[in-house]
Amino acid sequence: MFCWLKLLNPGVVTPTGRVNRLIWGSFSRSLVLSSQRRIPEFSSFVARTKTCGELRSSHLGQEVTLCGWIQYRRQNIFLVLRDFHGLVQVVIPQDESAASVKKILCEAPVESVVKVSGTVISRPPGQENPKMATGEIEIKVKTAELLNSCKKLPFEIKDFVKKTEALRLQYRYLDLRSFQMQYNLRLRSQMVMKMREYLCNLHGFVDVETPTLFKRTPGGAKEFVIPSREPGKFYSLPQSPQQFKQLLMVGGIDRYFQVARCYRDEGSRPDRQPEFTQIDIEMSFVDQTGIQRLIEGLLQYSWPDDKGPLGVPFPSMTFAEALASYGTDKPDTRFGMKIVDISDVFRNTEVGFLRDALSKPGGAIKAIRVPGGAKYFKRKDIESIRKFAADRFNQEVLPVFLKANKNWNSPVANFIMEEQGLGLTRQMEIQEEDVVLLTAGEHRRACSLLGKLRLECADLLEARGVVLRDPAVSSFLWVVDFPLFLPKEENPGELESAHHPFTAPHPSDTHLLYSEPEKARSQHYDLVLNGSEVGGGSIRIHEAQLQHHILEAVLKEDVKLLSHLLQALDHGAPPHGGIALGLDRLICLVTGAPSIRDVIAFPKSFRGHDLMSGAPDFIPPEELKPYHIQVSWPTDSEADKNSLNHPHHPES
């Protein structure tokens, strides 16, 4: 049985860095005193004297009072009591003098809440349970009290009992009792506390709460709007505290952080929620390297002891390198299968579609090598890969097999092996059982396709028993030198910010903002863990003139919406930069949970609904009158179209 004490009290790690000297001596002394307190007092201020999971042979003979839930009962002789700390076996008294105690403990339904008092005794020889942390002892009960009886449950509170996610969300207060949810939320709490300690106590950061009600801002994700009592005027829920933390830098709060609630009016996914939490950080007089070293130290300090130490500094890779080698800006570097440019091998090819690709600007021939693919893949896997490429990317992928007795090669693939097979084999180091997936086209498009197929192939190989991605490995990576702007999907002739409009350009590319802004690189950096983005930040623009030019001339935004920020930058704004870590996603990866909904106490469903309370809900028209708004109900055809845009998802 997992010991909660170890989880909640790993001990205070001695920081490698120097503790910043605080100005106020009394404040400093209080911090030192609080940090010396290492043993949590789980039974202070409450009715119990011990928790269910902490009792051992060393407690034999002690009189204890326990409170918890009835996990199960056996033959009306034993019951197992559970609390957040673990399990303990309770012996139900059988003698006539304790009939009232027996009645309470035998008749209370499973998951009822009880309080018991009694003596810690040894289990009879041969009846110890090595699978329980408390398996050497049991409680001989003297008194019992039923604190609350439990009605029939919609599902059993056992981790091996499979429940649909919709049912778990509907009865979230029951789902929270499960071992896994308890572990996830307590680990989250522990990591956040260590982050606060590292930032505030060791490095002088100030925890500042910023407003939830704000105004609509240009660009970025869609924001939730909140009606006000002033006709036609609305608040907006901020998608991040970005502007506030920059204003705090102008205000001289030169080291800010916040465990910030953020809101985006967008569809949910396994790693997205309409409301989510960030560890939000901003510093003055800092460069990109300074931010990166801070975050590496923060994660190293707050990393759970049972997950193994983190090696720092984290490796770094440019956006261009990530795209060329992995086909994505968030590469999973736990396994190989990198993308290789094999254009030179086929410079004189007679294969039409390869020759056509190389004749176009930016055209290239790319490939990945799948180790052992010929051994593990089935014909249907290859057909699925080719269909994926055609449906999602409108591109052809050629599977090439070196093995002579593998007759899945198309005539074109066979011709390739005859024509340039030796050069291909040498450059990609192909072994007999490998499969090469080859495609041709525009560089970025070809890399993106192979990046997706790389992950698809990894999934297929692991489904067949090949270990590629060790779940115990935490592979962090910095991705840097992103483009400052990207073409808009709906209108490629216009530009939008790759990160956000407050990101500073790369110092050597500033001149491009006035001539070729699409070529400018940014001082934006992402933190990637095992193929998922867990953080992103940048050095900010701190000069009003440059910020005004980017908003108005490059992004074509209404600068009046950001007049407050532009004015602030004109009043002695220091150089500054920051980052935000996605707390939900980070904890999800640390715990190995399949979805961020498993590390949030009360998450929303895939469609952004609270299945427990029924939110969002209708409001009567008379209650909307003070806000000067009324509902325009959609027609049946509009309602059908809306349901198609928000399909049900297996992740719920």
Side-chain angles (χ1 to χ4, degrees):
M1 172 53 59
F2 186 87
C3 178
W4 289 117
L5 186 61
K6 182 179 178 183
L7 172 65
L8 295 173
N9 182 41
V12 177
V13 180
T14 303
T16 55
R18 176 180 58 87
V19 178
N20 289 345
R21 189 180 300 277
L22 295 171
I23 297 172
W24 304 281
S26 60
F27 183 48
S28 176
R29 284 193 296 275
S30 70
L31 289 175
V32 172
L33 287 171
S34 65
S35 68
Q36 289 173 348
R37 191 177 214 168
R38 298 188 179 190
I39 301 175
E41 296 181 359
F42 294 124
S43 296
S44 53
F45 318 117
V46 293
R48 64 174 178 251
T49 62
K50 295 289 183 182
T51 61
C52 295
E54 68 178 292
L55 296 173
R56 301 289 186 273
S57 295
S58 58
H59 298 98
L60 287 173
Q62 287 189 17
E63 299 293 316
V64 296
T65 297
L66 308 175
C67 296
W69 288 262
I70 297 175
Q71 177 91 347
Y72 60 87
R73 187 169 33 238
R74 187 168 70 250
Q75 299 174 339
N76 283 349
I77 298 175
F78 303 102
L79 67 78
V80 172
L81 198 63
R82 182 194 76 243
D83 63 11
F84 74 96
H85 201 70
L87 307 171
V88 68
Q89 181 166 284
V90 171
V91 182
I92 301 173
Q94 303 296 311
D95 49 299
E96 287 295 325
S97 61
S100 60
V101 174
K102 181 178 180 181
K103 178 179 173 64
I104 290 171
L105 297 181
C106 289
E107 294 183 0
V110 171
E111 288 302 311
S112 294
V113 188
V114 296
K115 180 170 78 170
V116 299
S117 296
T119 308
V120 181
I121 61 174
S122 293
R123 293 197 188 191
Q127 294 186 22
E128 298 88 350
N129 185 350
K131 295 181 180 179
M132 288 177 66
T134 60
E136 294 181 351
I137 59 93
E138 56 192 12
I139 309 300
K140 184 178 181 181
V141 175
K142 295 179 180 177
T143 63
E145 181 182 351
L146 177 63
L147 300 178
N148 205 333
S149 181
C150 180
K151 293 185 176 180
K152 185 178 180 181
L153 296 166
F155 53 80
E156 291 184 83
I157 313 296
K158 293 178 181 175
D159 286 290
F160 59 81
V161 176
K162 300 297 182 184
K163 291 89 67 175
T164 65
E165 188 174 62
L167 194 63
R168 290 176 58 205
L169 294 181
Q170 184 180 355
Y171 295 96
R172 190 59 162 187
Y173 44 85
L174 296 178
D175 189 46
L176 289 174
R177 295 183 192 173
S178 70
F179 169 81
Q180 195 60 55
M181 286 303 302
Q182 288 276 321
Y183 173 80
N184 291 351
L185 294 181
R186 292 178 188 280
L187 181 68
R188 178 180 177 132
S189 172
Q190 178 203 24
M191 287 189 67
V192 170
M193 184 58 69
K194 296 291 286 182
M195 288 178 177
R196 288 185 184 277
E197 187 178 285
Y198 182 84
L199 292 168
C200 288
N201 295 5
L202 303 186
H203 294 290
F205 279 75
V206 183
D207 186 352
V208 182
E209 295 179 12
T210 55
T212 300
L213 297 178
F214 193 38
K215 65 179 289 186
R216 185 179 65 87
T217 54
K222 292 180 181 178
E223 297 169 334
F224 288 99
V225 293
I226 309 295
S228 75
R229 292 176 183 266
E230 295 185 52
K233 291 189 176 181
F234 294 82
Y235 294 106
S236 179
L237 299 182
Q239 52 184 291
S240 82
Q242 181 60 46
Q243 293 180 56
F244 290 115
K245 63 182 185 179
Q246 290 193 246
L247 294 170
L248 286 168
M249 297 302 105
V250 181
I253 309 293
D254 69 340
R255 291 190 168 203
Y256 144 92
F257 96 98
Q258 181 184 187
V259 182
R261 299 293 285 167
C262 306
Y263 307 88
R264 292 181 184 173
D265 189 9
E266 298 178 338
S268 201
R269 287 188 291 188
D271 60 350
R272 286 264 177 91
Q273 282 273 290
E275 52 182 340
F276 56 97
T277 306
Q278 290 180 345
I279 303 295
D280 204 50
I281 294 171
E282 197 80 5
M283 299 172 69
S284 294
F285 314 112
V286 72
D287 60 11
Q288 180 171 306
T289 302
I291 296 287
Q292 290 175 343
R293 297 297 88 84
L294 169 79
I295 295 304
E296 289 165 359
L298 174 72
L299 289 169
Q300 196 175 34
Y301 189 83
S302 61
W303 204 248
D305 289 347
D306 61 343
K307 300 299 178 185
L310 290 183
V312 296
F314 300 153
S316 183
M317 183 182 298
T318 67
F319 169 80
E321 290 170 336
L323 183 68
S325 296
Y326 297 95
T328 176
D329 59 0
K330 44 180 182 290
D332 189 339
T333 53
R334 288 175 296 174
F335 67 105
M337 288 167 54
K338 291 184 181 181
I339 299 168
V340 179
D341 190 315
I342 53 174
S343 301
D344 288 343
V345 175
F346 293 96
R347 288 295 173 196
N348 301 314
T349 182
E350 295 180 18
V351 180
F353 88 98
L354 298 181
R355 191 172 59 243
D356 290 345
L358 292 176
S359 68
K360 294 175 182 175
I365 304 171
K366 307 279 185 178
I368 59 173
R369 178 177 65 87
V370 184
K375 177 181 177 182
Y376 294 104
F377 285 179
K378 299 177 172 59
R379 184 184 290 272
K380 66 176 184 180
D381 298 326
I382 298 298
E383 290 171 354
S384 175
I385 286 169
R386 300 192 70 175
K387 186 176 187 303
F388 175 88
D391 292 349
R392 293 280 298 275
F393 286 82
N394 194 27
Q395 280 192 224
E396 185 173 1
V397 165
L398 280 181
V400 179
F401 297 87
L402 185 65
K403 205 169 183 180
N405 63 357
K406 205 66 154 176
N407 59 1
W408 296 353
N409 275 355
S410 67
V412 175
N414 278 324
F415 184 71
I416 286 173
M417 285 308 298
E418 292 172 9
E419 188 187 36
Q420 272 94 12
L422 188 61
L424 184 64
T425 302
R426 186 184 302 117
Q427 183 172 352
M428 300 201 67
E429 300 178 351
I430 305 172
Q431 303 297 314
E432 189 179 21
E433 296 282 3
D434 297 345
V435 172
V436 171
L437 299 179
L438 180 151
T439 192
E442 189 271 327
H443 166 75
R444 179 172 294 208
R445 191 172 180 82
C447 288
S448 295
L449 167 58
L450 290 178
K452 296 281 188 186
L453 292 182
R454 175 178 178 267
L455 297 176
E456 291 285 325
C457 290
D459 289 342
L460 283 170
L461 288 175
E462 290 188 332
R464 307 278 152 77
V466 180
V467 178
L468 282 179
R469 295 168 289 195
D470 185 348
V473 170
S474 299
S475 182
F476 279 100
L477 172 74
W478 289 107
V479 180
V480 300
D481 287 353
F482 283 80
L484 187 57
F485 306 109
L486 293 172
K488 288 184 177 178
E489 283 190 24
E490 65 277 10
N491 186 0
E494 296 182 6
L495 296 175
E496 62 183 359
S497 297
H499 185 43
H500 58 53
F502 316 115
T503 302
H506 197 285
S508 59
D509 290 359
T510 303
H511 67 282
L512 293 173
L513 299 177
Y514 303 92
S515 55
E516 299 175 289
E518 68 279 0
K519 293 183 179 180
R521 293 168 298 162
S522 70
Q523 295 189 69
H524 164 204
Y525 32 85
D526 275 355
L527 182 62
V528 177
L529 171 59
N530 296 349
S532 291
E533 180 194 333
V534 293
S538 66
I539 301 302
R540 322 301 187 189
I541 298 167
H542 68 280
E543 297 168 332
Q545 184 178 357
L546 179 58
Q547 184 67 79
H548 190 283
H549 172 77
I550 285 177
L551 288 169
E552 187 174 61
V554 180
L555 299 176
K556 316 297 184 188
E557 298 285 4
D558 183 0
V559 294
K560 292 178 183 177
L561 291 171
L562 291 167
S563 58
H564 56 284
L565 179 63
L566 292 169
Q567 287 173 5
L569 296 181
D570 247 342
H571 287 77
H576 57 281
I579 193 169
L581 298 179
L583 182 63
D584 309 306
R585 199 175 301 176
L586 176 64
I587 303 298
C588 180
L589 292 167
V590 170
T591 59
S595 162
I596 63 169
R597 288 187 281 277
D598 290 319
V599 299
I600 300 172
F602 297 100
K604 302 292 187 291
S605 71
F606 177 73
R607 295 188 64 183
H609 292 174
D610 180 348
L611 301 183
M612 183 178 62
S613 68
D617 202 0
F618 296 104
I619 294 179
E622 60 270 17
E623 293 185 23
L624 291 175
K625 282 183 180 179
Y627 300 102
H628 312 282
I629 60 177
Q630 62 183 24
V631 177
S632 175
W633 296 101
T635 62
D636 291 342
S637 59
E638 288 174 332
D640 291 341
K641 183 179 179 182
N642 191 49
S643 66
L644 288 173
N645 290 334
H646 299 277
H648 290 285
H649 191 277
E651 292 286 345
S652 179

